[in-house]
């Protein structure tokens, strides 16, 4: 079977093909950057319009009640819950991933009082380690310390002094996916709590946080959940920790009786205790629309398509003559990777720019990595082949050598 026949058959059988029809993708573009900014879908656009033109414009302040703006953080959390294997009341949408990480790391240190080490991976996404180091510094070195090890060292790491193991499930630079089950079990068996960053996992991986007994997790919603630029983050706290956990950024929205305007803080007893201030309702409206596209879509369906897409892409890549100058740094075993393929090339930035000029949108990560993200909600199998053909042209004809592709922009 040729690759084209295989791709056509996979597209014809794709249960998510109908979902793609709800996305507003630009013409003549293969969008492989949904791992950075998910595409716009019609329900997200319509919910924003409705929120602005009907709710805000016409109903003004009463919309907090009539459109139930006030409960959006927990309502949206309940929608994300099935995608990560959590109960509806264990997930809250608010603030940003970075802020939520700060809150939950502080909770973890408080819940594990005999220990002071936050253990992470040296090449974690920078914000994760900045937040942990900043929190440790702010608490004073006696109460907390960030230690980092390489990904390879984690499997044999000693967790006996670790308060919380804080890791990103799918690495943003390589696409490598940790064995969440094995690491969670080992760390917990030695008394550590475990916090997972799901930024590159939610919407493409089949996660089972409750079944596995994960302690806590954070994620963002503008990547594979398609919530829009700067869409809010989310947090998950296993319900066994809820009663003892206290929000380190106590604010009026997390108070158990907000509109009593009481002088003293008393946190809510449910997941709303992790709210701080007023949320961005327009941003939440976009996310609410985007999440309707996941109604009835099982995480296992997303994961199966994601794997099939990356497998097809790599098969097509190896069939081309000029792509041998690329080095794949993503694990070749599909079970050990997320939904992106990362290729190294000495002129990676220019190759990425040349691909974008060919209508294949990818991104670049310092120093020499081109990332191809496969969002199963709207990426077709034929798109993977179009991307490989474009890459072959860019390399074979040295199109990347054009001077305009060497100029670095502010956002890569
Ligand atoms: C995208 C990403 C973030 C982003 O955090 P924000 O607070 O939303 O800016 C954090 N961690 C990881 C692993 C990411 O991939």
């Amino acid at each position: 079977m040729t690759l084209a026949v295989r791709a056509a058959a996979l597209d014809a059988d794709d249960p998510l093909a109908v979902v793609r029809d709800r996305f507003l993708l630009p013409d003549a573009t293969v969008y492989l950057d949904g791992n950075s900014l998910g595409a716009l879908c019609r329900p997200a656009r319509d919910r924003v319009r409705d929120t602005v033109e009907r709710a805000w414009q016409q109903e003004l302040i009463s919309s907090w009640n009539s459109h139930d703006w006030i409960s959006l953080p927990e309502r949206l959390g309940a929608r994300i819950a099935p995608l990560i294997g959590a109960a509806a009341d264990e997930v809250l949408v608010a603030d940003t991933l970075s802020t939520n990480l700060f809150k939950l790391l502080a909770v973890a240190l408080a819940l594990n009082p005999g220990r002071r080490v936050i253990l992470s991976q040296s090449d974690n996404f920078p914000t994760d380690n900045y937040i942990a180091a900043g929190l440790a510094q702010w608490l004073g070195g006696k109460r907390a310390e960030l230690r980092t090890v390489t990904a390879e060292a984690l499997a044999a790491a000693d967790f006996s002094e670790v308060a919380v193991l804080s890791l990103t499930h799918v690495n943003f630079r390589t696409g490598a996916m940790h064995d969440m089950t094995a690491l969670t079990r080992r760390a917990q068996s030695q008394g550590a709590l475990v916090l997972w960053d799901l930024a590159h996992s939610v919407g493409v991986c089949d996660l089972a946080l409750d079944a596995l007994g994960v302690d806590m997790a954070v994620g963002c919603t503008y990547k594979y959940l398609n919530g829009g630029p700067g869409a809010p983050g989310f947090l998950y706290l296993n319900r066994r920790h809820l009663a003892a956990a206290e929000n380190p950024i106590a604010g009026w929205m997390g108070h158990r009786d907000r509109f009593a305007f009481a002088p003293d803080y008393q946190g809510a007893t449910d997941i709303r205790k992790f709210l701080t201030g007023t949320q961005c309702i327009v941003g939440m409206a976009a996310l609410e629309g985007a999440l309707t596209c996941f109604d009835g879509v099982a995480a296992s369906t997303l994961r199966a398509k994601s794997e099939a897409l990356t497998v097809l892409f790599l098969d097509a890549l190896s069939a081309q003559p000029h792509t041998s100058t690329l080095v794949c740094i993503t694990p070749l075993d599909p079970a050990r990777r997320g939904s992106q393929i990362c290729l190294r090339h000495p002129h990676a930035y220019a190759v990425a720019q040349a691909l974008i000029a060919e209508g294949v949108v990818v991104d670049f990560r310092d120093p020499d990595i081109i990332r191809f993200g496969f969002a199963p909600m709207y990426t077709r199998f034929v798109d993977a082949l179009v991307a490989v053909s474009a890459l072959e042209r860019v390399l074979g004809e040295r199109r990347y050598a054009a001077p305009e592709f060497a100029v670095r922009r502010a956002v890569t």
Side-chain angles (χ1 to χ4, degrees), residues 96-99 124-125 127-128 168 170 172 197 199-200 220 222-223:
T96 63
L97 185 160
S98 301
T99 317
N124 199 350
F125 190 88
T127 205
D128 296 61
T168 298
V170 175
F172 78 105
D197 179 336
H200 286 275
C220 57
Y222 49 80
K223 292 173 181 163

Side-chain angles (χ1 to χ4, degrees), residues 32-87:
L32 300 183
D33 214 356
N35 50 322
S36 271
L37 175 65
L40 175 67
C41 61
R42 215 170 265 113
R45 183 196 62 186
D46 294 348
R47 285 288 284 139
V48 170
R49 279 190 184 157
D50 190 63
T51 299
V52 171
E53 293 176 2
R54 190 160 63 96
W56 182 15
Q57 186 181 338
Q58 304 292 336
E59 300 175 39
L60 284 161
I61 189 88
S62 65
S63 297
W64 283 100
N65 288 315
S66 58
H67 293 281
D68 205 11
W69 284 350
I70 195 72
S71 74
L72 272 168
E74 59 270 26
R75 255 166 47 214
L76 297 186
R79 277 188 174 273
I80 291 173
L83 293 172
I84 59 174

